[in-house]
Amino acid sequence: MNPAFDLLITGAHLATMTGDAPYGIVRDGAVAIVGDRIAWVGAVRDLPPDAHAHRRLDVPGAWATPGLIDCHTHLVYAGNRANEFEARLHGATYADIAAGGGGINATVGATREAGDDELVAASRPRLEALAAEGVTTVEIKSGYGLDTATECRLLHAARRVAAEVGVDVRTTLLAAHAVPGEFAGRADDYIDLVCRETIPAVAGAGLADAVDAFCETVGFTAAQTRRVFATAGAHGLRVKLHADQLSDMEGAALAAEFGALSADHLEYTNEAGVAALRRAGTVAVLLPGAFYALRENRAPPVAALRAHGVPMAIATDCNPGTSPATSLLLMLNMACTLFRLTPEEALAGVTRHAARALALGDRGTLAAGQRADVALWDIVTPAELAYRIGGNPCAGIVRAGRLMTGRSP
Ligand SMILES: [Zn+2]
């Protein structure tokens, strides 16, 4: 037999993120690809001697990892809130800004006014920045429309911008992000609308892969969140939850109760909540960019998450208010510096565990049968991905078997 591969990457050291060895390292490795799948992974010396490839990419000394996955973003929106950032540093309070029509409602207003092309054009540089750092899969939430038509437009725009940039996307309906101005003081009535109209419309059109909610003192109550999740389940959609970011709302336990794919933020989650996540198989998504930007001082319960064996993912939370971040590599650094993850845990958090947070069993590791998403890096050791602050060592990207971009390492 004479194996023929479409693409054969040789010379790189591999951080496969499989098995028990740190990073699943294979030195002087090879990744062989057929179509959009990885066909073979191992050391170059173990390649079948008669193997040949239609295309060969020899990258001596580089490192290869699974394509990175940013599993929590809100990157489709119009406008930005740099003016609020500046006003706060001149002494304005959140209340001042909200009274002036700022905060999330400013983004909702700009987003509702923007046309589809404008929304995609505004969002595209943010996704391009992520993609340039080796991100091959991204999750994008709606949540700046807060009416059925605009939420649908946002989910369409998310798929369109991802197709234009060449990144695979999972979309999440986050209609329960905030109470829109026209429902001020009537949160229950807004949730009625979300359950009666928005979720059925989005599910019927197949626009979302999951449903999310913001359960918080400044968001929605546990009872409102339960209604949203029950409706999502009735329409066959899995759920995710913004949980326990600013206070302990027992959000982690609520997420677990509904078998959520992930519970995200978790700064105030208690130990019982962590145990519930473990029992439900829910991934903990940690978002150090928001923690940093809000100058929070209570970190998520990383020791308890480790002790209970809850998988930890890391994401940018890219959004205009609390995490205007478009660098997943910077989030790796912040996860280590602010939350004390190890560099290996951080890398697992944007590969293997991030895939699980999106119910994507076909990616996040370098292994035969997986989708052929590979990032190549001009680094000496995988810890360097979390160690650096700034700079981009990404030297090449293979997405679904196709060499997308990159300079030669
Ligand atoms: Zn978020």
Side-chain angles (χ1 to χ4, degrees), residues 72-74 141 174 177 212 242 264-265 287 317 319 322:
H72 180 142
T73 86
H74 310 244
K141 302 175 197 297
L174 179 58
H177 191 192
D212 196 344
H242 284 70
D264 302 40
H265 287 291
L287 303 166
D317 196 13
N319 78 71
T322 59

Side-chain angles (χ1 to χ4, degrees), residues 43 106 111 236 268 316 364:
T111 300
Y268 285 83
T316 59

